[in-house]
Amino acid sequence: RGELKKPNILREQTERLLKHPKSNRFTESFTGQWLDLRKIHEMKPDNMYGEFDDKLAWSMPEETKKFFQKVLDENLPAASFFDSSWTMLNERLAKHYGIDGVVGMDLRKVELPVGSHRGGIITHASVLKLSTNATYTSPVKRGVWVIERILGLPPAPPPPDVAAIEPDIRGAVTIRQQLEKHKTVEVCASCHVKIDPPGFALENFDVIGGWRDFYRTKQGGDGNKYVELKNYPGRKVWMAKPVEASGDTHKGEHFSNIDDYKKIVLLDNDQIARNLAGKLLVYSTGATLQYSDREVIEQILGLTKKENHAFRSLVHEVVQSRVFKTK
């Protein structure tokens, strides 16, 4: 009958579908595409991360999907995806994060203790695992993931004649020291100044998303220590040089750790919502954004700004937009 052309009817039907039990398909599919969550199990961690098990592997993506659903259901700000005071945990994940008082395998909303360094999907074990390698973390890989998936500021592709960084399994050289070589090449430095900061800010998280103060190695050596993991009594690993998670943004703003970096980014939380609106439009239309579509995204941001870009409202305005209705 053409009723869907009426904005109020379209809004009602959108809300009906969001409340439908089958809407979990949206959560599964969109997080898989937006966050690359469907690739979570492509990388099997090296055996020196012996605390990784099937229960943890199952729990990782579940935290992120249920977090996404909670933000959608409760119409929370889009910036919650970057930082939050809570997350979705079960007993296995809580142990991995060093958080007490969570029992059972069912995931539920848990307020994070002060000093946990968690909050937001960028510190979920799922994201930290899928944005790294099996043996060692890569600030470049994680940095690219953050600026592409969350901030919407993708870098140029790397020059073809620049070699990739190889892991140092002895722990004699930090990844920061290896990356300094890339900064001496002018064409590399122009991108690394934007890529490296979020990557370094996340360096306190290891290959499987556990918190660390020192880099883990495969063997003993000068200065290396054989220590017990804090959250896994009885399990010992070799630790080498201390982690360096400080740095400066491309604008010269200094951060000491991930908590500082989050505060800097959230000074412009419009950019997180802007990127998310764009990702929703691409997902929902199956088409890449054109230059003229930028105006529509800014209109969406204007309509949701009073609600601090609440996520469910953002979805509604995407559906109401010219791009969604014509592509």
Side-chain angles (χ1 to χ4, degrees):
R1 301 192 303 272
E3 292 287 292
L4 282 176
K5 292 180 180 179
K6 299 178 181 179
N8 61 321
I9 299 297
L10 180 58
R11 195 173 295 274
E12 287 175 6
Q13 293 305 310
T14 303
E15 186 64 20
R16 179 182 67 82
L17 291 172
L18 286 173
K19 290 179 178 178
H20 197 281
K22 291 183 180 179
S23 67
N24 60 2
R25 294 178 184 177
F26 168 53
T27 296
E28 185 80 24
S29 184
F30 184 67
T31 56
Q33 178 175 304
W34 171 38
L35 305 175
D36 255 356
L37 202 60
R38 57 173 65 105
K39 296 181 180 180
I40 177 67
H41 297 306
E42 287 186 4
M43 182 275 283
K44 183 179 180 181
D46 188 272
N47 57 17
M48 68 175 169
Y49 291 91
E51 68 271 31
F52 184 76
D53 57 26
D54 290 342
K55 288 183 179 180
L56 184 58
W58 177 84
S59 302
M60 284 178 170
E62 288 301 305
E63 175 190 18
T64 305
K65 287 183 282 189
K66 290 189 181 300
F67 184 97
F68 177 92
Q69 191 66 50
K70 182 68 71 173
V71 174
L72 177 63
D73 290 345
E74 298 186 4
N75 203 21
L76 301 177
S80 300
F81 290 117
F82 194 77
D83 191 26
S84 64
S85 63
W86 59 277
T87 192
M88 304 295 289
L89 295 179
N90 60 13
E91 184 175 353
R92 181 65 189 88
L93 262 180
K95 177 183 179 181
H96 192 56
Y97 291 173
I99 296 174
D100 298 326
V102 181
V103 180
M105 283 298 288
D106 291 335
L107 283 91
R108 78 297 307 256
K109 186 177 181 180
V110 176
E111 286 295 320
L112 294 166
V114 176
S116 73
H117 306 293
R118 302 285 171 174
I121 58 176
I122 66 168
T123 57
H124 284 190
S126 60
V127 166
L128 294 163
K129 177 180 179 293
L130 66 82
S131 61
T132 190
N133 302 299
T135 307
Y136 66 104
T137 54
S138 168
V140 174
K141 193 171 181 179
R142 279 182 175 168
V144 168
W145 189 94
V146 171
I147 63 178
E148 281 186 345
R149 306 284 169 169
I150 307 299
L151 304 183
L153 304 168
D161 57 342
V162 177
I165 293 175
E166 294 298 324
D168 173 24
I169 62 173
R170 298 168 301 156
V173 181
T174 66
I175 192 72
R176 185 184 294 265
Q177 292 168 327
Q178 291 175 290
L179 277 172
E180 288 300 320
K181 299 176 183 178
H182 283 235
K183 291 183 179 180
T184 61
V185 182
E186 185 176 350
V187 69
C188 294
S190 62
C191 284
H192 275 277
V193 72
K194 295 180 180 180
I195 294 171
D196 293 354
F200 281 130
L202 292 168
E203 270 295 271
N204 277 120
F205 299 99
D206 64 25
V207 165
I208 56 174
W211 181 265
R212 65 183 177 187
D213 294 307
F214 292 84
Y215 288 103
R216 192 179 303 196
T217 70
K218 280 182 173 292
Q219 60 195 52
D222 292 339
N224 292 358
K225 299 177 180 179
Y226 197 50
V227 300
E228 185 176 75
L229 290 175
K230 182 179 179 181
N231 300 334
Y232 295 91
R235 183 174 294 281
K236 291 188 173 183
V237 297
W238 285 104
M239 296 289 189
K241 292 182 176 294
V243 170
E244 300 172 88
S246 62
D248 297 285
T249 69
H250 69 284
K251 294 181 179 179
E253 302 146 311
H254 184 74
F255 58 88
S256 298
N257 53 31
I258 185 60
D259 302 324
D260 289 348
Y261 182 74
K262 285 181 181 178
K263 291 175 184 177
I264 292 170
V265 171
L266 289 175
L267 292 175
D268 180 19
N269 60 18
D270 282 359
Q271 182 55 35
I272 295 172
R274 181 177 291 110
N275 172 64
L276 192 50
K279 299 294 186 186
L280 285 167
L281 281 170
V282 170
Y283 171 83
S284 60
T285 63
T288 56
L289 295 176
Q290 305 301 313
Y291 185 82
S292 59
D293 297 334
R294 295 182 182 184
E295 179 184 358
V296 172
I297 291 177
E298 293 308 314
Q299 290 171 352
I300 292 170
L301 292 185
L303 291 167
T304 59
K305 192 171 183 63
K306 286 185 179 179
E307 296 180 271
N308 205 14
H309 306 303
F311 184 49
R312 197 180 192 87
S313 299
L314 203 66
V315 172
H316 273 292
E317 296 307 333
V318 163
V319 175
Q320 294 283 335
S321 72
R322 169 182 60 79
V323 174
F324 181 87
K325 290 190 286 187
T326 58
K327 282 193 175 182

